[in-house]
Amino acid sequence: MSNYSVPKKVNESANRPCKVSALFALIFVLSSFLMANKPVVAQTLSLEQALQLAIQYDPLLKGNAHRKDRFNAEAEASSYWANPQVSASVQNLPTDGFAFDQEPMTQFKVGLKQQLPRGDENLYSQQKYQVMADQMSVESQARKAWLKREVTLTWLDWVYATRRIGLLDKEKSLLTQLLDFTDSRYSQGVGAAAQQDILQVRLALLSLDDKYVQAYQQKNEARSALSKWFGAPLDESVSAPLTQSTRDAIEVDAILNDSNLSLSSFLTVIDSSEPFSILQHHPEAMLLQIQTQIEAQNVNIAREQTKSQWAFEASYGYRQDAQNGASRADFVSLGVQVDLPFFNKSRQDASIAAAASKMSASETDFRLKVNELAANAEVLKSRLSALSERKALYETALIDETQQLSEAELTAYTTDTGDIGDVVNANLKQVQVQDDLLKIDIERARTLASLAYLYLPTHVHYSNKE
């Protein structure tokens, strides 16, 4: 006799309304709970936002604005002559009576003296400070371009680590499903499934732990490195942007915003430009050109030191009438002073030679910088071409091939014509190919960011000239 009894229909009908009511009550309670406890949606930090924040809060850019104001003020101040000198004195006062009208030579003298600049020294000093003010503007341009590159590279490291964790989750899900499938076949005694198949899948799952540790370490380090550009740690609710598919492109359009160029137009500019000529107008190179202009003004100032410096003075001497009532005339004096720089000619020639050598060294540094930038551009262009070819290969062939291989190995294993190790390796290979494609996309974006650092400032320079 069976231990199980079938409920009577009368009881089933009687209990059905209660069950339905309880079900609706449960749904209502859960809905109310979910409505009242909505999860906080994490805010994503896009590349465009990261670039804007980094430029907005960069201390060096703010300091350059103050330094530019300083040099403009010094340029204005250097255009003025030295302050005139006023003197007042009582001369030839007799010591036996200290009477102002006792001796005819006693007088109260007031003088004025004006020293002139040495040659055109003030003019060259003014031009020097004006060039230094312009240098701050170019340095700010170089700083903005450098910030965009560095923030982009750090942001890409953060995105890569975040998306790699997503790939590891996918790998874990595949291996978990494979473990359940293998365990089911082994427990049911289907085919040639053995306990070592289960252990092999479990071993693959355990090896994921180390990958997770590395990925989270990379994510945390990149997040911490990114926060330094903002002057404060990132909020915990801020996360890297994710995509629905590993084939989605990495965000790189943000670094082209200021240039009004699309990605295809930017690649055309890169291919059609000769780096050794166009990169002469890169801010890094222009800073050295401006430094050469500053040194040229120093040469002019040094040459002006060989010229005499003049000073003019005038004085008025008041004399009191004599004690016997005789009138005494007042005195007016005019004078000229000039120094003689001819006696230290060797020192002046050495100063001029030193300033000229420093200017020549700046010209050499400019040429070296242009060569360095152009060589980097050639390396990056070659790297971008190779990465584009690899990206096309992965997207058109390897992704689909590994997926078909994974399905074929699983089919062979279910029909007892394959090995579980081949199934595991095929699944791991499928995720590995996706990880490699992600690395290619990230490296390609990094290369584009470095090329943008080189070419965009020069493109803006030519656009402004037009």
Side-chain angles (χ1 to χ4, degrees), residues 52 67 95 99 103 129 287 321 375 405:
Q52 291 176 351
R67 281 184 280 271
T95 59
E103 300 294 337
Y129 285 118
L287 283 175
D321 293 341
L405 175 62

Side-chain angles (χ1 to χ4, degrees), residues 178-201 412-421 423:
L178 185 59
L179 178 62
D180 294 339
F181 175 75
T182 307
D183 190 27
S184 175
R185 283 172 55 87
Y186 176 73
S187 60
Q188 296 176 9
V190 178
Q195 189 174 9
Q196 65 181 8
D197 296 343
I198 300 176
L199 295 176
Q200 192 167 355
V201 179
Y413 178 69
T414 56
T415 57
D416 294 332
T417 59
D419 184 76
I420 188 61
V423 179

Side-chain angles (χ1 to χ4, degrees), residues 187-215:
S187 60
Q188 296 176 9
V190 178
Q195 189 174 9
Q196 65 181 8
D197 296 343
I198 300 176
L199 295 176
Q200 192 167 355
V201 179
R202 286 180 178 176
L203 181 61
L205 278 170
L206 289 175
S207 65
L208 280 178
D209 292 340
D210 181 57
K211 296 180 181 179
Y212 270 113
V213 171
Q214 295 180 13

Side-chain angles (χ1 to χ4, degrees), residues 16-26:
R16 185 177 300 164
C18 296
K19 292 181 179 180
V20 173
S21 300
L23 178 60
F24 277 109
L26 179 60

Side-chain angles (χ1 to χ4, degrees), residues 80-87 111-116 311-314:
Y80 293 96
W81 290 357
N83 293 330
Q85 299 176 1
V86 177
S87 61
L112 179 66
K113 179 180 180 180
Q114 176 65 60
Q115 190 174 35
L116 301 183
F312 297 90
E313 61 180 354

Side-chain angles (χ1 to χ4, degrees), residues 143-431:
R143 177 68 176 183
K144 288 180 181 179
W146 182 84
L147 271 177
K148 286 184 177 182
R149 183 189 64 181
E150 295 302 310
V151 173
T152 301
L153 297 182
T154 309
W155 184 86
L156 288 172
D157 290 340
W158 186 38
V159 169
Y160 170 70
T162 303
R163 297 190 182 182
R164 187 166 185 269
I165 292 174
L167 288 176
L168 293 178
D169 292 338
K170 184 176 181 180
E171 182 178 348
K172 183 177 181 180
S173 176
L174 289 173
L175 290 176
T176 302
Q177 294 176 13
L178 185 59
L179 178 62
D180 294 339
F181 175 75
T182 307
D183 190 27
S184 175
R185 283 172 55 87
Y186 176 73
S187 60
Q188 296 176 9
V190 178
Q195 189 174 9
Q196 65 181 8
D197 296 343
I198 300 176
L199 295 176
Q200 192 167 355
V201 179
R202 286 180 178 176
L203 181 61
L205 278 170
L206 289 175
S207 65
L208 280 178
D209 292 340
D210 181 57
K211 296 180 181 179
Y212 270 113
V213 171
Q214 295 180 13
Y216 276 104
Q217 179 185 355
Q218 293 174 356
K219 178 182 177 181
N220 293 333
E221 289 180 356
R223 181 189 180 92
S224 300
L226 189 63
S227 65
K228 74 179 180 180
W229 305 114
F230 312 138
L234 288 178
D235 190 84
E236 293 297 330
S237 63
V238 178
S239 61
L242 295 174
T243 56
Q244 299 297 327
S245 171
T246 55
R247 298 193 187 192
D248 292 341
I250 303 296
E251 176 186 354
V252 293
D253 292 339
I255 60 179
L256 303 176
N257 283 347
D258 295 339
S259 63
N260 296 322
L261 288 175
S262 63
L263 182 57
S264 59
S265 300
F266 176 61
L267 295 177
T268 303
V269 170
I270 293 176
D271 293 335
S272 60
S273 301
E274 203 287 310
F276 283 89
S277 60
I278 191 173
L279 291 179
Q280 294 182 14
H281 302 284
H282 190 273
E284 281 193 32
M286 291 178 64
L287 283 175
L288 294 175
Q289 277 187 322
I290 294 177
Q291 187 61 38
T292 302
Q293 297 175 15
I294 295 175
E295 300 302 336
Q297 299 302 328
N298 287 333
V299 172
N300 293 332
I301 293 173
R303 287 173 177 166
E304 294 304 300
Q305 302 305 310
T306 62
K307 298 180 180 179
S308 299
Q309 187 172 25
W310 295 79
F312 297 90
E313 61 180 354
S315 62
Y316 177 81
Y318 168 76
R319 293 196 305 167
Q320 191 172 350
D321 293 341
Q323 294 178 355
N324 59 4
S327 176
R328 291 175 178 170
D330 298 333
F331 294 149
V332 174
S333 301
L334 298 175
V336 177
Q337 293 182 358
V338 59
D339 66 348
L340 300 177
F342 313 110
F343 299 100
N344 54 1
K345 187 175 183 302
S346 298
R347 185 187 68 182
Q348 293 169 351
D349 291 343
S351 298
I352 295 174
S357 297
K358 198 171 183 180
M359 182 183 68
S360 300
S362 296
E363 294 175 348
T364 303
D365 292 340
F366 165 75
R367 179 48 54 189
L368 288 174
K369 176 57 67 175
V370 172
N371 293 344
E372 178 186 349
L373 295 174
N376 289 340
E378 292 292 344
V379 171
L380 292 171
K381 288 166 63 176
S382 177
R383 183 183 303 168
L384 181 63
S385 177
L387 289 171
S388 299
E389 292 180 5
R390 293 183 61 197
K391 178 179 174 64
L393 174 63
Y394 271 77
E395 290 179 340
T396 58
L398 286 178
I399 293 290
D400 295 335
E401 290 293 334
T402 53
Q403 184 176 357
Q404 294 177 12
L405 175 62
S406 176
E407 295 173 355
E409 292 293 347
L410 182 60
T411 301
Y413 178 69
T414 56
T415 57
D416 294 332
T417 59
D419 184 76
I420 188 61
D422 296 333
V423 179
V424 173
N425 291 334
N427 280 273
L428 295 180
K429 182 65 176 178
Q430 185 178 1
V431 179

